[in-house]
């Protein structure tokens, strides 16, 4: 640790003593970022960020480039202080403002939507996106039902891809690092003809050696976070998380390929068409299973994700028109190296590899909108969204050795389902009092058809179709006290409908002692509905180098869908003669209450020297004052107030960066997570299996150092998890220890 710090200090000192001029174009671009506000599009109008009353955070292409890794989800969670469920093997699912992150792929109606250029991306897995194609990521915090409809109760994550025009320019890179990790990538774009422009990017990643779990634990020792607390039916149990420090984590090799292409044609001065596509292919991504099972629960996954769209945009007098149509396809296939029919948390039987499940989610739809500029003070947006989403799953069992390891199809965990949505919407952006008072009202009406379809081999299934409608109004206000200070507030309504597996899912898991655990759906679930309000104050002055936004938010959710135990079924005899050890289903809690504080800010000390260099500190913080479900008891279940799982009361991303604006830059950034509440379904002790638990706190740091030669050649040192911490976002699925890598990039 001391050696790394000394090395960083020596490099920084040498950089200050040596200078080299870069091209005027690059210098102009840097100054533009400092002096001009960013144009954002997440609210479906092109506005400067200062004009947006909602809580909006921007993750730039530079933030992505200054991260040691290539997982977009890993970068977003640190920069925007988001809660995630993350496992090794290209799986990062995020949420916003106290809503629980998705725990699995294939959801078509979560609490937070991931968008791609303002339309449905077709996935919640942030690790599937190509970082080389991204211009910025806009994170809108708070209900966005009036803008985008269902699945926006916590907010949206909008990934904006590059649209390069002018001279063709780009970069290529290659790197190598710990765990025999190799990476290559490219990004190029510009005009190849006066009216024809393009962007083409790709990323190739291979980890050819299993990673090692952290062993240094500098911050874990300071924080006193070596134990996890479990809360069984009675008492408290504390367990140390130190047993696996420094262990090689077999089953964590992986490789993937990601590519993006956009082609645009300027039809006339007023009209253009763009066609774009993105592809992710990860074959044979190893799965290590729960750490506590050592190497017994290994397998691998195939993950494929493809999407494409075509958009036509143009201007007729005061009208800015756009039509976009899109298609997406996500496929996740899971393969096991152990025998499912003899599955035991204590003794897993190795077997020939077989496919245990397959999940396919498809989206298609279109967006039509007209942004009308009435005058300099008033803009009106009206449009129509249509989307169709479908989800299909299949599952297989494998017989034991006596049965010759024969593989047969079985009932999947979730039935086939679909959702169709048609939604007219309207918004206005009104700048009154000479631009000092901004009013942003919005309204959207979603007509929804939801269906659970006949599913081969599915048990106890009653197909159904239902129509629903939901009105989502919103109102956002901002008062600019002067050119730097503003007070802003926002209130909005949002919703999500129940998942197919929450309504009709069914799965059985068998355990030693002739016991079975059942997880089943509830056909009587109601849609979740939420109302969120926030109020904040923000300051931004490029000349002084200071900006911040402090916000208080309050959310009330009715008909909150949560997984619950049915104690009266425990101990009963199943139809197959086994004893029911646990019976889980889904129910609507009476309500959920979430409130908290958000703070984002940065200060550039370079402003003290007329921006001759940058020395910027930055932070994003979310503090949950309350995040709890309120439950009215039924049967043997008593009234209760339960903390929402997998969200942290305190979540921070922070860092410091230096750039001499000539040839040297460096960033030291990190993440802090306080204790989080969850359930331990993977515990080896049956008495603790399913018990609520509290994860320990953790803190990590990353370091990236760049050295540029002749304005085109960039040498980088990249260190992830600098202090080699043993930490996790999901217990049993610990993330890698220290990663050290070097990268060379050529810019043209």
């Amino acid at each position: 640790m001391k050696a790394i710090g000394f090395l960083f200090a020596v490099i920084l000192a040498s950089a200050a003593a040596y200078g080299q001029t870069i091209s005027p174009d690059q210098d102009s671009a840097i100054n533009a970022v400092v002096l001009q506000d960013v144009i954002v599009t997440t609210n479906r109008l092109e506005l400067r960020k200062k004009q947006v009353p909602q809580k909006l955070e921007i993750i730039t292409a530079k933030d992505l480039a200054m991260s040691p890794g290539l997982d977009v989800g890993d970068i977003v969670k640190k920069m925007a202080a988001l809660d995630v469920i993350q496992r090794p093997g290209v799986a990062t699912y995020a949420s916003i403002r106290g809503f629980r992150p998705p725990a699995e792929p294939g959801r078509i109606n979560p609490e937070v939507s991931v968008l791609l250029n303002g339309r449905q991306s077709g996935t919640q897995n942030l690790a599937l996106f190509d970082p080389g194609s991204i211009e910025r990521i806009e994170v809108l915090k708070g209900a966005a039902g009036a803008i985008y409809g269902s699945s926006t109760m916590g907010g949206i994550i909008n990934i904006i891809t590059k649209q390069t025009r002018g001279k063709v320019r780009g970069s290529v890179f290659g790197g190598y690092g710990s765990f025999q990790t190799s990476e290559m990538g490219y990004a190029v774009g510009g005009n190849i003809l006066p009216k024809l422009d393009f962007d083409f990017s790709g990323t190739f990643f291979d980890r050819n050696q299993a990673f090692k779990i952290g062993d240094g634990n500098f911050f874990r020792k300071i924080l006193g976070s070596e134990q996890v607390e479990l809360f069984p039916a009675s008492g408290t149990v504390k367990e140390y998380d130190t047993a696996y420090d420094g262990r090689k984590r077999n089953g964590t090799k992986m490789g993937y390929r990601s590519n993006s292409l956009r082609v645009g044609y300027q039809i006339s001065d007023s009209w253009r068409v763009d066609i774009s596509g993105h592809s992710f292919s990860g074959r044979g991504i190893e799965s290590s299973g729960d750490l506590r099972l050592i190497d017994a629960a290994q397998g691998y996954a195939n993950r494929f994700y493809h999407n494409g769209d075509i958009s036509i945009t143009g201007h007729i007098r005061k009208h800015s028109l756009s039509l976009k149509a899109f298609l997406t396809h996500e496929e996740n296939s899971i393969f096991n190296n152990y025998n499912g029919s003899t599955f035991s948390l204590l003794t897993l039987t190795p077997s020939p590899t077989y496919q245990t499940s397959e999940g396919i989610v498809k989206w298609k739809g279109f967006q039509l909108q007209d942004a009308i500029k009435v005058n300099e003070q008033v803009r009106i947006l009206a449009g129509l969204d249509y989307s169709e989403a479908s989800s299909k799953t299949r599952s297989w069992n494998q017989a034991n050795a006596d049965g010759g390891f024969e593989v047969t199809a079985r009932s999947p965990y979730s039935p086939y389902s679909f959702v169709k949505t048609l939604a007219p919407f309207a918004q206005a952006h009104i700048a009154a009092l000479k631009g000092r008072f901004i009013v942003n009202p919005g309204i959207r009406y979603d007509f929804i058809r939801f269906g659970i379809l006949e599913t081969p081999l599915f048990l106890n299934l009653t197909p159904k179709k239902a129509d629903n409608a939901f009105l989502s109004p919103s109102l956002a206000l901002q008062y600019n006290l002067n050119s730097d200070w503003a007070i802003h507030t926002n209130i909005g309504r949002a919703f999500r409908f129940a998942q197919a597996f929450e309504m009709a899912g069914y799965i059985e898991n068998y355990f030693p002692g002739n016991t079975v655990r059942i997880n089943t759906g509830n056909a009587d679930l109601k849609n979740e509905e939420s109302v969120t309000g926030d109020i904040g104050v923000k300051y931004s002055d490029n000349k002084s180098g200071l900006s911040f936004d402090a916000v208080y938010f309050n959310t009330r959710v009715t008909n909150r869908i949560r997984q619950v135990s049915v104690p009266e079924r425990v101990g009963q005899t199943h139809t197959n003669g086994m004893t029911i050890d646990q019976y889980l289903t889904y129910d609507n809690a009476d309500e959920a209450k979430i409130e908290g504080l958000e703070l984002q800010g940065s200060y550039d000390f370079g402003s003290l020297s007329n921006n001759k260099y940058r020395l910027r500190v930055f932070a994003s913080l979310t503090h949950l004052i309350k995040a709890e479900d309120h439950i009215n008891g039924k049967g043997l279940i008593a009234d209760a107030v339960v903390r929402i799982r997998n969200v942290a009361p305190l979540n921070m991303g922070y860092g410091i960066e230096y750039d001499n604006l000539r040839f040297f830059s460096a960033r030291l950034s990190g993440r802090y997570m306080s204790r989080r509440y969850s359930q331990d379904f993977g515990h080896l002790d049956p008495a603790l299996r399913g018990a609520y638990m509290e994860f320990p706190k953790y803190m990590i740091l990353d370091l990236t150092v760049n050295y540029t030669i002749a304005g085109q050649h960039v040498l980088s040192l990249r260190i992830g998890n600098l202090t080699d911490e043993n930490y996790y976002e999901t217990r049993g699925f610990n993330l890698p220890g220290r990663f050290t890598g070097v990268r060379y990039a050529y810019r043209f």
Side-chain angles (χ1 to χ4, degrees), residues 215-327:
D215 193 27
N217 298 307
F218 175 78
F219 291 116
R220 190 178 72 180
K221 295 171 185 175
I222 293 176
L223 296 171
S225 297
E226 297 179 338
Q227 292 180 318
V228 60
E229 284 191 85
L230 294 103
F231 308 99
S234 61
T236 301
V237 177
K238 294 185 178 182
E239 294 182 345
Y240 279 92
D241 266 343
T242 58
Y244 304 103
D245 287 356
R247 179 186 291 270
K248 182 180 179 181
R249 191 69 175 106
N250 292 322
T252 54
K253 299 177 185 177
M254 68 174 186
Y256 62 80
R257 309 291 182 262
S258 179
N259 292 279
S260 297
L261 173 64
R262 180 199 63 84
V263 178
Y265 184 75
Q266 194 73 39
I267 301 170
S268 67
D269 291 341
S270 299
W271 291 89
R272 67 176 283 116
V273 59
D274 287 275
I275 301 174
S276 65
H278 171 81
S279 175
F280 176 96
S281 177
R283 194 181 296 274
I285 298 172
E286 291 187 348
S287 171
S288 56
D290 194 306
L291 175 65
R292 291 164 292 183
L293 298 174
I294 314 300
D295 296 333
Q298 291 187 16
Y300 68 88
N302 291 339
R303 302 192 190 278
F304 304 105
Y305 170 60
H306 314 287
N307 75 74
D309 62 47
I310 179 170
S311 65
I312 301 173
T313 57
H315 302 276
I316 301 177
R317 297 179 181 176
K318 295 184 177 182
H319 299 261
S320 296
L321 301 164
S322 69
L323 173 64
K324 180 181 293 184
F326 63 90
L327 292 167

Side-chain angles (χ1 to χ4, degrees), residues 574-640:
H574 193 281
T575 54
N576 61 11
M578 303 180 77
T579 301
I580 298 175
D581 174 64
Q582 185 180 72
Y583 195 99
L584 300 175
T585 188
Y586 294 89
D587 201 359
N588 290 111
D590 184 48
E591 65 175 344
K593 298 180 180 180
I594 307 170
E595 63 176 306
L597 300 171
E598 294 166 336
L599 176 63
Q600 182 194 29
S602 66
Y603 178 69
D604 188 353
F605 290 93
S607 62
L608 301 175
S609 65
N610 199 26
N611 294 310
K612 294 180 180 178
Y613 64 90
R614 284 186 186 173
L615 181 59
R616 189 173 73 99
V617 293
F618 57 90
S620 180
L621 174 152
T622 299
H623 170 51
L624 292 177
I625 300 170
K626 182 184 296 183
E628 55 194 27
D629 290 323
H630 291 246
I631 304 166
N632 289 330
K634 299 176 183 178
L636 298 179
I637 302 176
D639 292 354

Side-chain angles (χ1 to χ4, degrees), residues 421-443:
T421 303
L422 180 69
F425 62 89
Q427 286 188 74
H429 183 84
I430 304 167
L433 302 178
K434 297 182 179 180
R436 294 176 71 91
F437 185 45
I438 295 173
V439 182
N440 186 189
I443 192 166

Side-chain angles (χ1 to χ4, degrees), residues 318-392:
K318 295 184 177 182
H319 299 261
S320 296
L321 301 164
S322 69
L323 173 64
K324 180 181 293 184
F326 63 90
L327 292 167
T328 77
H329 178 106
E330 182 184 8
E331 181 176 337
N332 291 278
S333 299
I334 307 300
F335 298 78
N336 284 349
N337 297 336
Y338 58 87
N339 186 252
S341 64
T342 59
F343 179 79
S344 160
L345 289 179
L346 299 175
T347 55
L348 296 178
T349 305
S351 71
T353 300
Y354 75 103
Q355 183 172 0
T356 182
S357 68
E358 175 189 78
I360 298 175
V361 173
K362 296 181 180 181
W363 284 80
K364 62 182 177 180
F366 69 82
Q367 296 175 320
L368 174 65
Q369 69 177 50
D370 180 10
I372 307 166
K373 186 176 181 180
V374 179
N375 52 44
E376 293 299 325
Q377 291 75 41
V378 180
R379 300 185 197 182
I380 297 175
L381 175 73
L384 182 70
D385 288 348
Y386 176 78
S387 66
E388 294 183 21
S390 64
S391 175
K392 292 185 177 182

Side-chain angles (χ1 to χ4, degrees), residues 4 68-69 74 78 88 177-179 181 207 209-218 220 244-249 252 291 699-703 718-728 733-741:
I4 293 172
D74 201 59
K78 294 172 182 176
S178 304
F179 322 125
T181 300
R207 184 164 63 216
Q209 184 183 79
F211 69 67
K212 185 177 73 70
I213 295 171
D215 193 27
N217 298 307
F218 175 78
R220 190 178 72 180
Y244 304 103
D245 287 356
R247 179 186 291 270
K248 182 180 179 181
R249 191 69 175 106
T252 54
L291 175 65
M699 180 175 175
I700 58 169
L701 287 176
D702 299 327
L703 173 66
R718 296 167 178 265
I719 305 176
N721 193 358
L722 184 66
T723 56
D724 200 27
E725 304 290 322
N726 179 1
Y727 76 106
Y728 51 81
F733 296 87
N734 299 47
L735 296 172
R738 183 190 298 124
F739 168 84
T740 303

Side-chain angles (χ1 to χ4, degrees), residues 67-116:
S67 171
L70 295 171
D71 184 336
V72 173
D74 201 59
I75 300 166
V76 171
K77 76 175 185 181
K78 294 172 182 176
M79 295 300 300
L82 302 186
D83 293 297
V84 300
I85 288 180
Q86 182 179 21
R87 300 180 179 91
V90 195
T92 305
Y93 304 91
S95 195
I96 301 172
R97 284 192 172 177
F99 287 94
R100 188 182 185 224
E104 68 288 309
R107 294 186 66 176
I108 58 176
N109 43 0
E111 285 88 354
V112 171
S113 285
V114 177
L115 307 180
L116 186 63

